[in-house]
Amino acid sequence: KQEVTQIPAALSVPEGENLVLNCSFTDSAIYNLQWFRQDPGKGLTSLLLIQSSQREQTSGRLNASLDKSSGRSTLYIAASQPGDSATYLCAPTGIQGAQKLVFGQGTRLTINP
Amino acid sequence: EAGVTQFPSHSVIEKGQTVTLRCDPISGHDNLYWYRRVMGKEIKFLLHFVKESKQDESGMPNNRFLAERTGGTYSTLKVQPAELEDSGVYFCASSRQGGVYEQYFGPGTRLTVT
């Protein structure tokens, strides 16, 4: 059974800092892994998807890496802005055909102006 | 392209009543998923449709929950009779068949059972 842990649970940093959010998962037999952000009272917004054959994926100031064998993924946010404040969730999926996402508790990020 | 939509955004019902949640996936997305988050817990998978067929319903908590996807378009999730522990936020997501199966989520329905 896949279990996902995200560390830290909460993070507060001043604007402009670069930061790293960590995600670990117990079953390395994944098909892909998605990173999402969730704003209070809203749905989940997909940020990045990394396929199991990839090592990293970039979108703007975001860079996600994946080390499938060790069960880890990181989300790097460069030059953080107050608008980046949200809860960040990582979710791996199982092998193709078993596409359910498995979520951890997420990291609640606050960027202080 | 319109995103995933869910209706209602919020529902308050009494224990024992019935509630039906609706999800409209992104047009052309054959895969439709239901998830829920109960208070203080992580988001958990409920079930997965491929078109009108249930591919995986391993996350459905009990037989008070019934999901349908007639015609392979929108889906409904009915809770009957509702219990207090059913309170939470119910999310729907959809993805294309094939490729990377990137899932796009709707805004969720907040269900409160009193």
Side-chain angles (χ1 to χ4, degrees):
Chain A
K1 176 188 169 187
Q2 180 75 277
E3 294 183 358
V4 177
T5 303
Q6 290 189 245
I7 295 174
L11 181 64
S12 181
V13 300
E15 180 178 3
E17 282 203 2
N18 302 323
L19 54 98
V20 175
L21 308 182
N22 296 293
C23 168
S24 62
F25 46 94
T26 55
D27 185 352
S28 63
I30 66 170
Y31 186 65
N32 60 37
L33 183 145
Q34 278 187 259
W35 279 93
F36 297 89
R37 68 174 280 168
Q38 185 177 25
D39 295 281
K42 301 292 176 96
L44 279 66
T45 300
S46 180
L47 298 173
L48 288 163
L49 179 147
I50 309 180
Q51 299 176 63
S52 60
S53 58
Q54 296 177 320
R55 295 285 293 185
E56 64 178 59
Q57 192 70 255
T58 297
S59 176
R61 296 182 293 109
L62 304 180
N63 176 277
S65 68
L66 174 65
D67 184 343
K68 196 175 76 160
S69 61
S70 66
R72 293 179 184 175
S73 178
T74 61
L75 180 67
Y76 174 82
I77 303 177
S80 59
Q81 303 170 359
D84 295 330
S85 298
T87 296
Y88 289 79
L89 298 152
C90 76
T93 66
I95 57 174
Q96 189 173 5
Q99 297 151 31
K100 62 183 179 184
L101 295 168
V102 178
F103 289 89
Q105 291 274 22
T107 294
R108 189 171 68 252
L109 176 64
T110 303
I111 307 298
N112 302 302
Chain B
E1 166 178 88
V4 178
T5 58
Q6 294 187 244
F7 182 83
S9 58
H10 193 182
S11 179
V12 181
I13 61 172
E14 293 182 353
K15 176 182 172 181
Q17 290 186 322
T18 297
V19 64
T20 300
L21 314 181
R22 173 170 171 145
C23 168
D24 286 79
I26 293 172
S27 178
H29 282 195
D30 287 337
N31 292 297
L32 187 149
Y33 317 83
W34 285 97
Y35 297 85
R36 76 172 177 178
R37 170 183 263 161
V38 297
M39 181 72 76
K41 302 286 189 180
E42 64 272 22
I43 297 170
K44 285 196 178 293
F45 167 83
L46 295 178
L47 89 159
H48 167 207
F49 284 99
V50 179
K51 297 185 180 179
E52 67 274 9
S53 299
K54 292 176 184 175
Q55 175 79 7
D56 181 356
E57 51 185 328
S58 61
M60 295 289 266
N62 52 60
N63 59 11
R64 295 186 294 102
F65 289 75
L66 175 64
E68 295 181 325
R69 191 181 183 195
T70 306
T73 54
Y74 70 90
S75 174
T76 57
L77 181 64
K78 180 189 289 188
V79 185
Q80 177 183 32
E83 299 287 346
L84 298 178
E85 63 264 26
D86 300 332
S87 295
V89 181
Y90 290 75
F91 293 103
C92 176
S94 70
S95 73
R96 293 187 184 282
Q97 187 68 356
V100 298
Y101 298 98
E102 183 170 5
Q103 295 187 30
Y104 298 88
F105 278 69
T109 293
R110 179 172 296 277
L111 174 65
T112 303
V113 183
T114 62

